[in-house]
């Protein structure tokens, strides 16, 4: 009975064409690899069920590349069994080698992203004092993009080196060096400049995510830092795009470099007759009733004397740049309302002696609303 079965299988195999038999072997290898992956994935899922978030996410996110890797691993012996020509076997093995290289790069990139995401979960950008969070988020995001660029570069390099023609060309190019190296360096100068600028920004951190900046005469917050440019969300929701190298080579103002709290300045020009002590008491009252004031700084000082008015500087502090701006507006509005009601004569005005005014009226010269004079 067994002999007849063997003879029957031998007859069927000899009758089937080679290409069909090869397809059957390869499809069977794919099915076996899928079954092995399902078994291995279930075991790994149970093992990491009690582990931390990183390992659970890693197993979950790498399910597809793991399946492809196991299938490719099973197909290696299947190619040797299948009735293929030497050329077909070489092409398939080369394809599997490329598949392994790309899968390693894919899994490395996924692992890097998962680790960065899990690490940054402990920091909250929406916290009241988010200086530490902004520092770690900025550093991690920049280094992640730089590392991802390196992973992609190395993956493509190893993949290209599997082709003999490209490998020989690369060796000859490296041997020739000289002009080829200079041309390549000039061509890659912008890319390398931004790459090293990104590393320098991640280490020194002159800017961070959510930093308040005054750059190119515009105020806004750092919304995104990529491997080549920085996106600044301006106060009116426009986006300013600047290369990474800009923040290394050009001066700019960072309003949240060491902390989010800021001191806002309000300048007002009043007549010499206004009582400064009453004004100081009113400013302290306005700040005390405001929800925007952080209870740190409030100050009123006469900083200069002009020809017709005196310059009064008011300082009030707030937890961040946005609240400082709103607090300055609130102080201006309420202070002007107070002066208009209580000391209207203290508002800036042009003085003239009685004799000059009487002579001007006698001559028929009157002043218009915009300060010009006209003949009656």
């Amino acid at each position: 009975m067994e002999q007849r079965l063997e003879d029957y299988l031998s007859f069927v195999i000899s009758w089937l064409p080679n290409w069909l038999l090869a397809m059957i072997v390869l499809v069977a290898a794919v099915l076996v690899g899928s079954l092995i992956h399902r078994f291995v994935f279930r075991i790994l899922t149970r093992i990491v069920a009690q582990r931390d978030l990183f390992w659970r996410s890693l197993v979950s996110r790498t399910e597809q590349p793991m399946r492809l890797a196991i299938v490719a691993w099973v197909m290696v012996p299947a190619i040797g069994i299948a009735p293929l020509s030497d050329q077909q076997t070489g092409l398939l093995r080369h394809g599997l080698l490329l598949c392994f290289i790309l899968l390693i790069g894919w899994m490395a990139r996924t692992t890097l992203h998962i680790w960065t995401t899990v690490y940054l979960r402990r920091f909250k950008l929406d916290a009241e004092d988010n200086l530490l969070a902004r520092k770690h988020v900025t550093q991690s995001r920049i280094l992640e993009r730089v590392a991802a660029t390196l992973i992609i570069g190395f993956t493509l390099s190893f993949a290209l080196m599997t082709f003999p023609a490209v490998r020989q060309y690369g060796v000859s190019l490296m041997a020739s060096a000289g002009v080829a190296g200079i041309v390549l360096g000039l061509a890659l100068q912008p890319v390398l400049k931004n790459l090293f600028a990104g590393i320098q920004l991640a280490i020194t951190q002159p800017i961070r995510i959510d930093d308040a900046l005054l750059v190119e005469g515009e105020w806004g917050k750092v919304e995104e830092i990529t491997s080549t440019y920085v996106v600044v969300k301006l106060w009116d929701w426009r986006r300013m795009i600047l290369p990474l190298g800009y923040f290394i080579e050009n001066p700019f103002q960072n309003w949240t470099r060491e902390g989010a709290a800021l001191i806002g300045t309000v300048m007002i020009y009043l007549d010499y007759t206004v009582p400064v002590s009453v004004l100081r008491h009113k400013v302290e009252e306005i700040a005390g009733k405001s929800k925007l004031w952080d209870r740190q700084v409030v100050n009123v000082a006469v900083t200069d004397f002009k020809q017709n008015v005196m310059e009064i500087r008011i300082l009030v502090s707030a937890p961040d740049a946005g609240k400082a701006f709103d607090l300055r507006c609130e102080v201006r509005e309420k202070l002007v309302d107070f002066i208009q009601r209580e000391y209207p004569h203290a508002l800036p005005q042009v003085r003239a002696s009685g004799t000059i005014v009487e002579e001007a009226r006698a001559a028929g010269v009157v002043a218009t609303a915009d300060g010009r004079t006209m003949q009656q």
Side-chain angles (χ1 to χ4, degrees), residues 129-132 134-135 204-206 208 211-212 254-262:
D129 186 5
N130 60 357
L131 178 61
L132 182 63
R134 291 187 288 107
K135 176 181 178 181
T204 59
Q205 293 194 345
R208 306 183 185 95
D211 264 350
N254 189 335
W255 291 9
T256 54
R257 179 68 178 88
E258 297 296 336
L262 288 175

Side-chain angles (χ1 to χ4, degrees), residues 67-198:
R67 176 184 290 111
L68 295 176
I70 293 177
V71 169
W73 172 68
V74 174
M75 288 188 66
V76 172
I79 292 174
I81 298 174
L84 298 170
S85 62
D86 294 340
Q87 183 179 6
Q88 293 172 339
T89 302
L91 288 175
L92 288 176
R93 287 180 175 174
H94 185 257
L96 289 178
L97 178 59
L98 290 176
C99 183
F100 273 121
I101 294 174
L102 295 178
L103 285 174
I104 291 174
W106 184 3
M107 295 183 71
R109 176 67 182 88
T110 303
T111 303
L112 174 66
H113 178 70
I114 292 173
W115 183 88
T116 305
T117 303
V118 173
Y119 174 73
L120 293 179
R121 285 171 62 92
R122 68 187 71 179
F123 303 105
K124 302 296 183 182
L125 286 176
D126 54 355
E128 186 70 23
D129 186 5
N130 60 357
L131 178 61
L132 182 63
R134 291 187 288 107
K135 176 181 178 181
H136 284 273
V137 169
T138 302
Q139 195 172 48
S140 300
R141 292 302 184 195
I142 294 178
L143 292 179
E144 179 191 3
R145 289 186 173 93
V146 172
T149 303
L150 294 177
I151 290 174
I152 295 173
F154 279 116
T155 302
L156 294 178
S157 299
F158 284 120
L160 292 175
M161 288 177 64
T162 61
F163 296 91
V166 177
R167 183 171 62 249
Q168 293 175 1
Y169 177 76
V171 173
S172 62
L173 182 62
M174 292 178 61
S176 61
V179 177
I182 295 175
V183 173
L184 183 62
L186 292 176
L188 294 178
Q189 184 179 1
V191 178
L192 296 176
K193 178 180 178 182
N194 282 319
L195 180 63
F196 287 110

Side-chain angles (χ1 to χ4, degrees), residues 297-316:
V297 176
V298 58
N299 179 263
V300 177
V302 178
T303 55
D304 197 6
F305 285 147
K306 307 295 183 181
Q307 182 176 1
N308 299 315
V309 294
M310 59 180 175
E311 180 184 84
I312 299 178
R313 186 192 67 184
I314 302 169
L315 301 179
V316 284

